[in-house]
Each structure stands twice: as structure tokens, then as C-alpha cells.
Amino acid sequence: IASGARLDASALTRGDGGEILVFTSLTNPLAFTQVAGSLIARGGTQGGNGGFVETSGYRLDVTGISVNTLAPKGRSGLWLLDPNDIEIKSVDDDGGSSVIGVGGCAISALGLTNCTTISVVDLSNQLATTDMTIEAAKTITVSSSLLWGGSHALTLGTTSTTEGAITINKSIRTDEGGTGGLTLRSRSITVSAAINVGGGFSTTGMGSSTLTIGTGGSIIASGKVSLDAQTVNIFGSVRSTDDTEGTSVGISNATTVNINSELTGNTISVSAPGGAINVRSSLVSANNTLSAANVTFLATGTAGALNVTATSAINLNENYSAGATVFDAPIVNWSAGWSGASTELRTNRVNWGTAGAYTGAGGAIFTVGVPAVPGTTTFNLAADLTLQAFRIDINNPLAWSTRQLNLYGNQAFDGVEGQGVAVSASLTGTNSAKLVIANTFAAGGGSQTISLSGTPANQSIFTLGAGAPQTEGTVKYPVGVTNKTVEIDNSGIVGGGGGGGSSSSDTPVTIVTPAATTTSTTAAAAAAKAAADAAAAKAIADAAAAKAATLDTTTKVVVEQAITQAVATVVASTSAAVFVAPAPAPPATTTTSSANSTTSTSSASTSSSTSTTTTATTTTTTTATTTTAATTGTSGAGQSTTVTQEFVEPLSVTTLSSTTSTVSDPGDTSAATTSTNTGPASQTATPASTATSAPAAPALTPVAVSKDGADAGDFTLQTVKPPAPVTAAKQEARPTERVTTKPVAPGIALQATQKTPTPSGSVLGREISGSGNSSNW
């Protein structure tokens, strides 16, 4: 269509413009279309929209073309330029067509090229009168700067999902006041120059698409910026000046988004469903939303209000500052400092690195919120952690272990009440975790509990403000009309008064021989002493019982349940006696006998006893062997072990003594016990022919009663039964006694004594000791 020729498909007074189609084969190298004339498809002067003009061919020459699809009373029409490859260039630029797109311009055997060239002057003139769509099968390259005015839009697109590519090597701009927009649609889009348009800017990916805003490229649009591609790499700035409601910069349908330069807009939304968003720059926006499987902050930067949602994890690897922030993910890996406005965690687990921290600005609130999957929020601490804000809200159960958690709700904020730490859900610290609340409790929902557990060697500690650290027991801190209860159990034993602890394998265990005093008394003297001891024990026990009656009901129930369980466990597994801590240190003991005499290593005291003895003349020699070992349980507490065994040399024995003792506890008729043992407690044997009298009966009544004088309820009452005797004329090891100390609540400790082998007629000591604190046992 030569210059000066005219094809007119315009409507008349009313109606839409018609269609003008000029095309040759897109695949035939010999196909050539040259259009230098005018193609007109305007709408009617009184109504109607502009028409459609298409020029297609393997090779096109549109130099000098004039296309008009305007509509005075309706929408403008469209000109589609549709060759195989297109280069947009100035007529003054030489050689541009030799490096088109990805593969360059194909040249046929006849020397013909498949590249179509349109000058930026002709394209600018056409954009002054109509919207333009330039669509190539494979490549579009902008090799010269393009500038146009008015309100018409330019669309550049390719159709191949495997070879399509758009390359912007020179700037594309609208002049001042122009409102035209730009759309790029291709499998691969590379922007290496500035784009500045008065309308919106958008990209649409095709197939496995990639969009790259290079270091020399940038996007500025007065309208919205919408970026659509599977992989988005941003090295140049992207900015929207649109101040209307809704998203002004949006990235969608991506699997990988790398933000290496600033994104700026009224609102920013980045979405990579099932993929990754990597942030290495600032997000300059009042509101920002990032959503992907993994969202990672890899460089310092700033942002406005920020809502980050990840289906897998959020990774904070570099210091960042943002406005009001919400982190919503199953896992947050927090390895850097985060500062700025209020921040809320909605997560099941936070893995805090050694550099992880949060510091809120004045008035900022740090909130442990409810995660998408309900459950406890766990802090895994690589080091002690400090969270600092105007207020810290615990709205979801929070747990941590081992390290110290510092909650500093003490940032200054003028004229506003509510500063402090508001606990509306439980806090649980295990394995000697520590908690420091810097100033005070703020109002929080309901009466909540803080539970800490540790071991004697490595204790949990709670500190509130400048108050004294709390290391044991239960304290209630009133907050308005509610209470915050702090329970600490540093016994290292499950079932203590504190709400958690280490396993029962952490229980300190001490193996000792029973405490004893050396006596040589007759049965009558022993009975007298037993009566006196029993009377003293009853007086102390009565005082302790009166004191116990003052305890509150809840504490008594907890104590009795713990004692019942511990005693039942001991009785079910052994026939040992039960001792109340603290156990006195065992002295080294040696027992010897000769004919017609007895020395007993026990405090012999009985209410009543009868004995008969038949002996034969001989001598018994007893030696004491003591073994001491140090062990360490899993709790880390040091433990001492002492095992004492007595060895008896062989005897020529006709018969051994037989002793029966009956013991009554004046303080408790239910404790009356009768026990029969063969042989005296001191393992003494003499020939029957020379026996003149029976040895003293072994003691089954209390052998140690002591009090520290602090009050009437402080005492220790121990009950010991005698060891089993040698029953044959051979060397045997006397029994080994094992005493296990088990704290069951603050101030209460039970001791279980086990003998091996187990003797008959074991006695259960049923007294317990007060701690000297009227509110605890």
C-alpha cells in the first residue's frame, strides 16, 4: 500500500469503525508487506468506537504509515502490528536490526531478513492518535528511546511460549501530562533502561516466565504497577505514584521473587504461592503484604506496616525496621535485630539465633498471638533473649527452656497508661529456664500462671522489677482484680510443687547406714528409754499437727497426695522403712562380742520386749567396710553414696539366739508392730553350755529424735529395724542400707530406707518434719 494510498473503514455519523486487515504469511521468507499509506477505521462522528487495523507478515515495512482508529464520541480503536520479530528504532540508528531479541534476525538464502523495523517517530505519531499493540511471534527489541504524549496506551507482546522475549534497551516515556500506559507480555522480559509512564505499567508472563528489572533499569508509573511472572528479579527501583485505594505495586503468580532494590508505592503486595520471597531492600509503602511458602529478609532495610504470611517459615537474617508488623507462619527463624512499631507473632515456634532481638519504638507493643494452628508458642533460645517494648502482651501459651527470657515492657511513651507485661496466657520455663520482667505486670486477661522448673544445682529464677529473685514456692502477684501466680520448683523431680520439672531420674539419691548411738543396756533400761523417747516424739508430733491444721486446704491436699504416692511406691517395691529428711550423717561403727557379753550399735529403746537366747561358747569378730562413691544424676546435682557392710568371721555355733520384740508407738496406736528376728542385732553368739543370760533385745522403736528449736513443728523422727543376723557358721555380708531422699513439695522431703536382703517385720516410719515456714511443709 503505497504512500498516498488510503484505505478507509470508518463509520459515518454513528457506529463503530470497521476492520482493515493487511497480512501475508508469517512463515514464508519471501512474504513481504509494505504499508506506507493511510489506514483509517474511525468511529462515527455522533457515536461509536474506533475500529481495528492489523498489519501482519513475515517481513513488514511500515515506514510512513498512517493509522487512525479514533472515535470522537467513543473508545479509540487498535492497530496491531504483527510480524515475526520487531525492532523499535530510530531511522538514524544503523545496524540495530542485526541484534534483535534472543537469536537475532534470520536471513534467508535470498538475503531477506525476517525482522520488521518501525521507527520511534512513526510509533510516537501513531500513539498520539490511537492505542498501539505491537505483537511479534518471537522477539521485540526497543533500541531507541520512545516518547509520546496524550492518553493512548502501548502494548508490546510476543506469542511464543518457548522463544518469546522482550528487551528494553532504551527508555520508554510519556511526556509531561501524558497519561498513556505501557504493557509488556512475553515469556521473558528484560528491562535495562528507565520506563516512566503517566498511566499504569504491567507485565504478564507466559509459560515459564522471567521478569528482570536490571541494575540500569527502573519503573516509574503514575498508575498502578503490576508485575506478573514466575521468576521476578528486581535490581532497579520500582515505583508507583498512584495514591488511590488498593494495591499500587503488586507482584503476583510468582514462585520466586528477589527484591534487591526499593519498591515504592501507596500499598505493596508480593505473592509467591508455594515459593519464596527474598527481601534485600526497603519497602517504601504505608502498607506491605508478603505471602509465600518462605519469606526471608536478607539485608538491612525499612518498611511501613508489614504483614508477612508464610506457609513454611519466615526468616529474619538481617537487622530490619518496620511499622506495625504481623508474622504469621508455623516457624519463624529470628537471627537478627528487629525494631520499629508494634509486632505480633502468630507462630508455633520461634528459633532465636544468638543475635535475635526485638526493640520497639515508643508506644510499640510486642504480642505473642494465636497461631493459625492452635497450640503453644515455643521459643527455642540459642542465648539469653531480650524483648523490649512499651508493653509486651502474652496472648498465647508461651514455653521456653534453659535460657533466660527478659521481658522489658518499659519503653517510655508520654501520657499513656498500660505499660508493662500483660500476661493473658500461661508461661512455662523448663530445664532451669529463667524469667525477668523488668518493671511490672500490666493488665492481662484472667488469673494466669507462670511456671518455672529447675534443679538444686541449676535453679530457675523469677525476678519482677527490682524485687528479690524468687527461687522456690508459689507467689501470687495481684494485678487489678486478677492475680498472676508464679510457681517455681527447683527440686528437679516430676510431681513437685512447681508445675513441671525434669524426669524422676534426676532425683538425688544417697546411700548411707542408719544413724546409731552405742549403748549397752538391759531390757528394763531400754524400755524406760523407749517410753521417754516416745513421749517426746508424741509431744513434738502433736505440736506439728496443730501447726499443720493452720495450712490452707489446697496445700494440705497437695502434700498428702504427694506423701501417699511416695510411700505407696516405697511399700510396693520394698519392705524398707521411711525416713523424713534431713538424714543425719552416719558414723563409722564397729561391733564386737565376747562370751557372755553384748555390744549393740543401735539406740535400743522399746516399749516392751521379751527375749530368749541359747548360745554356745565362741568368739565373734565383726569388721566394718565403708565405700563412698560420687554420682551425678541427669539433673546435674552432685550425689554422695555411702555403703556400709559388716563381715562376720566363721563361728562354731550350736544354735543362735532367737529374739522377739513388740513395739508400741504411744502417739499412734495403728503403728503397733510385732517383729520376730533370728539372732541379736549385734550378731553375737556364745556356746549354749556357758550362756548365763539373754542379750538385749534389738530396737524397733525410734532411734533418733531431734529439733532445731525454731518452732514446735521442726523435728526429725526416724524408725530403724535391726539388720538380719548371720544364720549359719560362715562368713556373710551384713545387710546394706540404702536411703533415698525425695523432695515432694517445697519444704517436704521423704527418705526411704531399703535393706538388702529384706528383713522380716519391717517397720514404717510415719512421721514427717515441718520446714519452719507456717505456710509450707
Side-chain angles (χ1 to χ4, degrees), residues 519-580:
T519 61
S520 177
T521 63
T522 65
K529 186 177 187 304
D533 288 346
K538 184 177 186 304
I540 296 174
D542 289 344
K547 179 180 175 181
T550 65
L551 294 177
D552 64 271
T553 302
T554 302
T555 303
K556 289 170 66 178
V557 169
V558 172
V559 168
E560 291 181 8
Q561 287 177 345
I563 294 171
T564 300
Q565 180 180 5
V567 171
T569 300
V570 171
V571 172
S573 60
T574 70
S575 60
V578 175
F579 289 80
V580 179

Short mmCIF file of all heavy atoms in Angstrom, two decimals, residues 519-580:
data_model
loop_
_atom_site.label_atom_id
_atom_site.label_comp_id
_atom_site.label_asym_id
_atom_site.label_seq_id
_atom_site.Cartn_x
_atom_site.Cartn_y
_atom_site.Cartn_z
N THR A 519 25.07 -48.26 122.78
CA THR A 519 24.52 -48.42 124.12
C THR A 519 24.75 -49.84 124.59
O THR A 519 24.95 -50.76 123.80
CB THR A 519 23.00 -48.14 124.15
OG1 THR A 519 22.36 -49.08 123.29
CG2 THR A 519 22.68 -46.72 123.68
N SER A 520 24.73 -50.02 125.85
CA SER A 520 24.80 -51.35 126.43
C SER A 520 23.87 -51.33 127.63
O SER A 520 24.24 -50.86 128.70
CB SER A 520 26.23 -51.70 126.85
OG SER A 520 26.26 -52.97 127.47
N THR A 521 22.66 -51.72 127.40
CA THR A 521 21.63 -51.58 128.42
C THR A 521 20.93 -52.89 128.64
O THR A 521 20.99 -53.81 127.83
CB THR A 521 20.58 -50.54 127.99
OG1 THR A 521 19.96 -51.01 126.81
CG2 THR A 521 21.22 -49.19 127.73
N THR A 522 20.25 -52.93 129.70
CA THR A 522 19.38 -54.07 129.97
C THR A 522 18.05 -53.82 129.32
O THR A 522 17.74 -52.71 128.87
CB THR A 522 19.19 -54.25 131.47
OG1 THR A 522 18.50 -53.11 131.99
CG2 THR A 522 20.54 -54.40 132.20
N ALA A 523 17.23 -54.84 129.26
CA ALA A 523 15.91 -54.71 128.67
C ALA A 523 15.07 -53.69 129.42
O ALA A 523 14.31 -52.91 128.83
CB ALA A 523 15.21 -56.06 128.64
N ALA A 524 15.22 -53.63 130.72
CA ALA A 524 14.43 -52.68 131.51
C ALA A 524 14.82 -51.25 131.19
O ALA A 524 13.97 -50.37 131.02
CB ALA A 524 14.62 -52.96 133.00
N ALA A 525 16.17 -51.02 131.08
CA ALA A 525 16.62 -49.66 130.75
C ALA A 525 16.17 -49.26 129.37
O ALA A 525 15.79 -48.12 129.12
CB ALA A 525 18.14 -49.58 130.88
N ALA A 526 16.24 -50.23 128.44
CA ALA A 526 15.80 -49.94 127.07
C ALA A 526 14.33 -49.57 127.05
O ALA A 526 13.90 -48.66 126.33
CB ALA A 526 16.07 -51.14 126.19
N ALA A 527 13.52 -50.29 127.81
CA ALA A 527 12.09 -49.99 127.84
C ALA A 527 11.84 -48.61 128.40
O ALA A 527 10.98 -47.86 127.91
CB ALA A 527 11.36 -51.06 128.67
N ALA A 528 12.59 -48.23 129.44
CA ALA A 528 12.41 -46.91 130.02
C ALA A 528 12.76 -45.81 129.03
O ALA A 528 12.06 -44.80 128.90
CB ALA A 528 13.26 -46.79 131.30
N LYS A 529 13.89 -46.03 128.33
CA LYS A 529 14.29 -45.02 127.35
C LYS A 529 13.29 -44.91 126.21
O LYS A 529 12.99 -43.84 125.70
CB LYS A 529 15.68 -45.34 126.80
CG LYS A 529 16.23 -44.26 125.88
CD LYS A 529 17.62 -44.59 125.43
CE LYS A 529 18.21 -43.42 124.66
NZ LYS A 529 17.39 -43.01 123.51
N ALA A 530 12.75 -46.08 125.80
CA ALA A 530 11.77 -46.08 124.73
C ALA A 530 10.55 -45.27 125.10
O ALA A 530 9.98 -44.52 124.30
CB ALA A 530 11.38 -47.51 124.39
N ALA A 531 10.09 -45.43 126.33
CA ALA A 531 8.92 -44.69 126.77
C ALA A 531 9.18 -43.19 126.74
O ALA A 531 8.33 -42.39 126.32
CB ALA A 531 8.51 -45.15 128.17
N ALA A 532 10.40 -42.79 127.22
CA ALA A 532 10.73 -41.36 127.23
C ALA A 532 10.82 -40.81 125.82
O ALA A 532 10.31 -39.72 125.52
CB ALA A 532 12.05 -41.15 127.99
N ASP A 533 11.47 -41.58 124.94
CA ASP A 533 11.59 -41.13 123.54
C ASP A 533 10.23 -41.00 122.89
O ASP A 533 9.94 -40.06 122.14
CB ASP A 533 12.46 -42.09 122.75
CG ASP A 533 13.94 -41.99 123.14
OD1 ASP A 533 14.31 -41.00 123.80
OD2 ASP A 533 14.70 -42.90 122.75
N ALA A 534 9.37 -42.00 123.14
CA ALA A 534 8.05 -41.97 122.53
C ALA A 534 7.24 -40.78 123.01
O ALA A 534 6.52 -40.13 122.25
CB ALA A 534 7.31 -43.28 122.83
N ALA A 535 7.35 -40.49 124.31
CA ALA A 535 6.63 -39.34 124.85
C ALA A 535 7.11 -38.04 124.23
O ALA A 535 6.31 -37.16 123.87
CB ALA A 535 6.78 -39.32 126.38
N ALA A 536 8.43 -37.91 124.08
CA ALA A 536 8.97 -36.70 123.46
C ALA A 536 8.54 -36.58 122.01
O ALA A 536 8.18 -35.51 121.52
CB ALA A 536 10.49 -36.70 123.58
N ALA A 537 8.58 -37.72 121.31
CA ALA A 537 8.17 -37.70 119.91
C ALA A 537 6.70 -37.33 119.76
O ALA A 537 6.31 -36.58 118.86
CB ALA A 537 8.43 -39.08 119.29
N LYS A 538 5.86 -37.85 120.71
CA LYS A 538 4.43 -37.54 120.62
C LYS A 538 4.19 -36.05 120.86
O LYS A 538 3.37 -35.42 120.20
CB LYS A 538 3.66 -38.37 121.64
CG LYS A 538 2.14 -38.17 121.54
CD LYS A 538 1.41 -39.07 122.50
CE LYS A 538 -0.10 -38.94 122.28
NZ LYS A 538 -0.59 -37.55 122.39
N ALA A 539 4.92 -35.47 121.78
CA ALA A 539 4.76 -34.05 122.05
C ALA A 539 5.12 -33.20 120.84
O ALA A 539 4.42 -32.26 120.47
CB ALA A 539 5.61 -33.66 123.27
N ILE A 540 6.22 -33.59 120.21
CA ILE A 540 6.63 -32.84 119.01
C ILE A 540 5.63 -33.04 117.88
O ILE A 540 5.25 -32.11 117.18
CB ILE A 540 8.04 -33.29 118.57
CG1 ILE A 540 9.06 -32.92 119.65
CG2 ILE A 540 8.42 -32.65 117.25
CD1 ILE A 540 10.45 -33.45 119.38
N ALA A 541 5.18 -34.30 117.74
CA ALA A 541 4.22 -34.58 116.67
C ALA A 541 2.91 -33.84 116.89
O ALA A 541 2.28 -33.34 115.95
CB ALA A 541 3.97 -36.09 116.59
N ASP A 542 2.46 -33.77 118.18
CA ASP A 542 1.22 -33.05 118.47
C ASP A 542 1.35 -31.57 118.12
O ASP A 542 0.44 -30.95 117.58
CB ASP A 542 0.86 -33.21 119.95
CG ASP A 542 0.40 -34.63 120.27
OD1 ASP A 542 0.07 -35.38 119.31
OD2 ASP A 542 0.34 -34.98 121.46
N ALA A 543 2.51 -30.98 118.42
CA ALA A 543 2.73 -29.57 118.07
C ALA A 543 2.73 -29.38 116.58
O ALA A 543 2.17 -28.41 116.04
CB ALA A 543 4.05 -29.09 118.68
N ALA A 544 3.35 -30.31 115.86
CA ALA A 544 3.38 -30.20 114.40
C ALA A 544 1.99 -30.36 113.81
O ALA A 544 1.61 -29.69 112.85
CB ALA A 544 4.32 -31.26 113.83
N ALA A 545 1.19 -31.28 114.40
CA ALA A 545 -0.17 -31.47 113.90
C ALA A 545 -1.01 -30.22 114.09
O ALA A 545 -1.80 -29.83 113.23
CB ALA A 545 -0.80 -32.67 114.60
N ALA A 546 -0.84 -29.57 115.25
CA ALA A 546 -1.58 -28.33 115.48
C ALA A 546 -1.18 -27.26 114.49
O ALA A 546 -2.01 -26.50 113.98
CB ALA A 546 -1.33 -27.86 116.93
N LYS A 547 0.11 -27.22 114.23
CA LYS A 547 0.58 -26.23 113.24
C LYS A 547 0.08 -26.56 111.84
O LYS A 547 -0.32 -25.68 111.07
CB LYS A 547 2.12 -26.22 113.26
CG LYS A 547 2.76 -25.26 112.27
CD LYS A 547 4.25 -25.36 112.42
CE LYS A 547 4.93 -24.51 111.37
NZ LYS A 547 6.39 -24.61 111.48
N ALA A 548 0.05 -27.85 111.51
CA ALA A 548 -0.41 -28.25 110.17
C ALA A 548 -1.86 -27.87 109.94
O ALA A 548 -2.29 -27.63 108.81
CB ALA A 548 -0.23 -29.76 110.00
N ALA A 549 -2.66 -27.84 111.03
CA ALA A 549 -4.08 -27.53 110.88
C ALA A 549 -4.30 -26.13 110.35
O ALA A 549 -5.37 -25.81 109.84
CB ALA A 549 -4.79 -27.72 112.21
N THR A 550 -3.28 -25.27 110.50
CA THR A 550 -3.42 -23.90 110.02
C THR A 550 -3.16 -23.76 108.53
O THR A 550 -3.35 -22.69 107.98
CB THR A 550 -2.47 -22.97 110.79
OG1 THR A 550 -1.13 -23.34 110.50
CG2 THR A 550 -2.71 -23.07 112.28
N LEU A 551 -2.65 -24.80 107.92
CA LEU A 551 -2.37 -24.72 106.48
C LEU A 551 -3.67 -24.61 105.70
O LEU A 551 -4.70 -25.13 106.10
CB LEU A 551 -1.59 -25.95 106.02
CG LEU A 551 -0.18 -26.12 106.58
CD1 LEU A 551 0.41 -27.41 106.07
CD2 LEU A 551 0.68 -24.94 106.18
N ASP A 552 -3.62 -23.93 104.56
CA ASP A 552 -4.82 -23.84 103.73
C ASP A 552 -5.12 -25.20 103.12
O ASP A 552 -4.24 -26.04 102.93
CB ASP A 552 -4.64 -22.79 102.63
CG ASP A 552 -3.56 -23.18 101.67
OD1 ASP A 552 -2.39 -22.83 101.94
OD2 ASP A 552 -3.88 -23.84 100.66
N THR A 553 -6.37 -25.41 102.78
CA THR A 553 -6.85 -26.72 102.32
C THR A 553 -6.12 -27.18 101.07
O THR A 553 -5.73 -28.35 100.95
CB THR A 553 -8.36 -26.66 102.03
OG1 THR A 553 -9.01 -26.24 103.23
CG2 THR A 553 -8.89 -28.02 101.59
N THR A 554 -5.89 -26.27 100.14
CA THR A 554 -5.25 -26.66 98.88
C THR A 554 -3.86 -27.22 99.11
O THR A 554 -3.47 -28.26 98.58
CB THR A 554 -5.15 -25.45 97.94
OG1 THR A 554 -6.47 -24.96 97.72
CG2 THR A 554 -4.53 -25.85 96.61
N THR A 555 -3.07 -26.55 99.99
CA THR A 555 -1.71 -27.02 100.24
C THR A 555 -1.72 -28.39 100.91
O THR A 555 -0.93 -29.27 100.58
CB THR A 555 -0.97 -26.01 101.13
OG1 THR A 555 -0.99 -24.74 100.48
CG2 THR A 555 0.46 -26.45 101.36
N LYS A 556 -2.63 -28.58 101.87
CA LYS A 556 -2.68 -29.87 102.56
C LYS A 556 -3.00 -31.00 101.61
O LYS A 556 -2.44 -32.10 101.69
CB LYS A 556 -3.72 -29.81 103.69
CG LYS A 556 -3.28 -28.93 104.85
CD LYS A 556 -4.41 -28.70 105.84
CE LYS A 556 -4.79 -29.99 106.53
NZ LYS A 556 -5.86 -29.77 107.53
N VAL A 557 -3.94 -30.75 100.68
CA VAL A 557 -4.29 -31.80 99.72
C VAL A 557 -3.09 -32.17 98.86
O VAL A 557 -2.79 -33.34 98.64
CB VAL A 557 -5.47 -31.34 98.84
CG1 VAL A 557 -5.67 -32.32 97.67
CG2 VAL A 557 -6.74 -31.25 99.66
N VAL A 558 -2.37 -31.15 98.39
CA VAL A 558 -1.20 -31.42 97.56
C VAL A 558 -0.16 -32.21 98.34
O VAL A 558 0.43 -33.19 97.86
CB VAL A 558 -0.59 -30.10 97.05
CG1 VAL A 558 0.74 -30.36 96.36
CG2 VAL A 558 -1.56 -29.41 96.10
N VAL A 559 0.07 -31.82 99.61
CA VAL A 559 1.07 -32.50 100.43
C VAL A 559 0.69 -33.96 100.65
O VAL A 559 1.48 -34.87 100.45
CB VAL A 559 1.23 -31.77 101.77
CG1 VAL A 559 2.04 -32.61 102.75
CG2 VAL A 559 1.90 -30.43 101.55
N GLU A 560 -0.55 -34.18 101.07
CA GLU A 560 -0.96 -35.54 101.40
C GLU A 560 -0.96 -36.45 100.17
O GLU A 560 -0.59 -37.62 100.25
CB GLU A 560 -2.35 -35.53 102.06
CG GLU A 560 -2.30 -34.89 103.44
CD GLU A 560 -3.66 -34.89 104.13
OE1 GLU A 560 -4.60 -35.51 103.58
OE2 GLU A 560 -3.77 -34.30 105.19
N GLN A 561 -1.37 -35.90 99.04
CA GLN A 561 -1.32 -36.72 97.81
C GLN A 561 0.11 -37.10 97.47
O GLN A 561 0.39 -38.25 97.11
CB GLN A 561 -1.95 -35.93 96.65
CG GLN A 561 -3.47 -35.82 96.74
CD GLN A 561 -4.04 -34.99 95.62
OE1 GLN A 561 -3.31 -34.28 94.94
NE2 GLN A 561 -5.33 -35.09 95.42
N ALA A 562 1.03 -36.14 97.60
CA ALA A 562 2.43 -36.43 97.28
C ALA A 562 3.01 -37.48 98.23
O ALA A 562 3.70 -38.41 97.83
CB ALA A 562 3.26 -35.15 97.34
N ILE A 563 2.68 -37.34 99.53
CA ILE A 563 3.21 -38.29 100.51
C ILE A 563 2.63 -39.68 100.28
O ILE A 563 3.34 -40.68 100.28
CB ILE A 563 2.89 -37.82 101.94
CG1 ILE A 563 3.66 -36.52 102.23
CG2 ILE A 563 3.23 -38.89 102.96
CD1 ILE A 563 3.26 -35.86 103.52
N THR A 564 1.31 -39.71 100.06
CA THR A 564 0.66 -41.01 99.83
C THR A 564 1.27 -41.74 98.64
O THR A 564 1.55 -42.94 98.69
CB THR A 564 -0.85 -40.81 99.59
OG1 THR A 564 -1.41 -40.19 100.74
CG2 THR A 564 -1.54 -42.16 99.35
N GLN A 565 1.49 -41.00 97.56
CA GLN A 565 2.06 -41.61 96.36
C GLN A 565 3.48 -42.10 96.61
O GLN A 565 3.85 -43.22 96.24
CB GLN A 565 2.05 -40.61 95.21
CG GLN A 565 2.63 -41.19 93.92
CD GLN A 565 2.61 -40.16 92.80
OE1 GLN A 565 2.26 -39.03 93.02
NE2 GLN A 565 2.96 -40.61 91.63
N ALA A 566 4.28 -41.27 97.29
CA ALA A 566 5.68 -41.66 97.53
C ALA A 566 5.76 -42.87 98.45
O ALA A 566 6.52 -43.81 98.21
CB ALA A 566 6.44 -40.48 98.14
N VAL A 567 4.96 -42.88 99.55
CA VAL A 567 5.00 -44.00 100.48
C VAL A 567 4.50 -45.28 99.83
O VAL A 567 5.06 -46.36 99.99
CB VAL A 567 4.18 -43.67 101.74
CG1 VAL A 567 4.04 -44.90 102.63
CG2 VAL A 567 4.85 -42.53 102.52
N ALA A 568 3.41 -45.13 99.03
CA ALA A 568 2.87 -46.31 98.36
C ALA A 568 3.89 -46.92 97.42
O ALA A 568 4.01 -48.14 97.29
CB ALA A 568 1.60 -45.95 97.60
N THR A 569 4.67 -46.04 96.75
CA THR A 569 5.68 -46.55 95.82
C THR A 569 6.76 -47.33 96.58
O THR A 569 7.20 -48.40 96.17
CB THR A 569 6.33 -45.38 95.07
OG1 THR A 569 5.31 -44.70 94.35
CG2 THR A 569 7.38 -45.89 94.10
N VAL A 570 7.18 -46.79 97.74
CA VAL A 570 8.22 -47.46 98.52
C VAL A 570 7.72 -48.79 99.05
O VAL A 570 8.37 -49.83 98.96
CB VAL A 570 8.67 -46.55 99.67
CG1 VAL A 570 9.59 -47.31 100.61
CG2 VAL A 570 9.37 -45.32 99.11
N VAL A 571 6.50 -48.79 99.62
CA VAL A 571 5.97 -50.02 100.22
C VAL A 571 5.76 -51.09 99.18
O VAL A 571 5.97 -52.27 99.39
CB VAL A 571 4.66 -49.71 100.97
CG1 VAL A 571 4.01 -50.99 101.44
CG2 VAL A 571 4.95 -48.79 102.15
N ALA A 572 5.30 -50.66 97.99
CA ALA A 572 5.04 -51.65 96.94
C ALA A 572 6.31 -52.30 96.43
O ALA A 572 6.30 -53.45 96.00
CB ALA A 572 4.30 -50.99 95.78
N SER A 573 7.42 -51.57 96.46
CA SER A 573 8.65 -52.11 95.86
C SER A 573 9.62 -52.70 96.87
O SER A 573 10.46 -53.52 96.53
CB SER A 573 9.36 -51.01 95.07
OG SER A 573 9.68 -49.95 95.95
N THR A 574 9.54 -52.28 98.13
CA THR A 574 10.47 -52.79 99.14
C THR A 574 9.74 -52.92 100.45
O THR A 574 8.61 -52.48 100.63
CB THR A 574 11.66 -51.83 99.34
OG1 THR A 574 11.18 -50.66 99.99
CG2 THR A 574 12.29 -51.45 98.04
N SER A 575 10.42 -53.53 101.41
CA SER A 575 9.89 -53.58 102.78
C SER A 575 10.70 -52.62 103.65
O SER A 575 10.94 -52.88 104.80
CB SER A 575 9.96 -55.00 103.33
OG SER A 575 11.31 -55.44 103.34
N ALA A 576 11.15 -51.49 103.03
CA ALA A 576 12.02 -50.57 103.74
C ALA A 576 11.23 -49.68 104.67
O ALA A 576 10.04 -49.49 104.52
CB ALA A 576 12.78 -49.71 102.75
N ALA A 577 11.93 -49.12 105.64
CA ALA A 577 11.34 -48.11 106.49
C ALA A 577 11.39 -46.77 105.79
O ALA A 577 12.16 -46.58 104.87
CB ALA A 577 12.10 -48.04 107.82
N VAL A 578 10.56 -45.81 106.19
CA VAL A 578 10.52 -44.49 105.59
C VAL A 578 11.10 -43.49 106.58
O VAL A 578 10.74 -43.49 107.75
CB VAL A 578 9.07 -44.09 105.23
CG1 VAL A 578 9.04 -42.66 104.72
CG2 VAL A 578 8.54 -45.05 104.19
N PHE A 579 12.01 -42.66 106.09
CA PHE A 579 12.65 -41.66 106.92
C PHE A 579 12.26 -40.28 106.45
O PHE A 579 11.99 -40.09 105.28
CB PHE A 579 14.18 -41.78 106.84
CG PHE A 579 14.70 -43.01 107.53
CD1 PHE A 579 14.63 -44.23 106.88
CD2 PHE A 579 15.20 -42.95 108.79
CE1 PHE A 579 15.09 -45.36 107.50
CE2 PHE A 579 15.68 -44.08 109.40
CZ PHE A 579 15.62 -45.30 108.77
N VAL A 580 12.27 -39.32 107.33
CA VAL A 580 11.99 -37.93 106.98
C VAL A 580 13.30 -37.16 106.99
O VAL A 580 14.08 -37.29 107.94
CB VAL A 580 10.98 -37.31 107.96
CG1 VAL A 580 10.73 -35.86 107.61
CG2 VAL A 580 9.68 -38.10 107.90
#
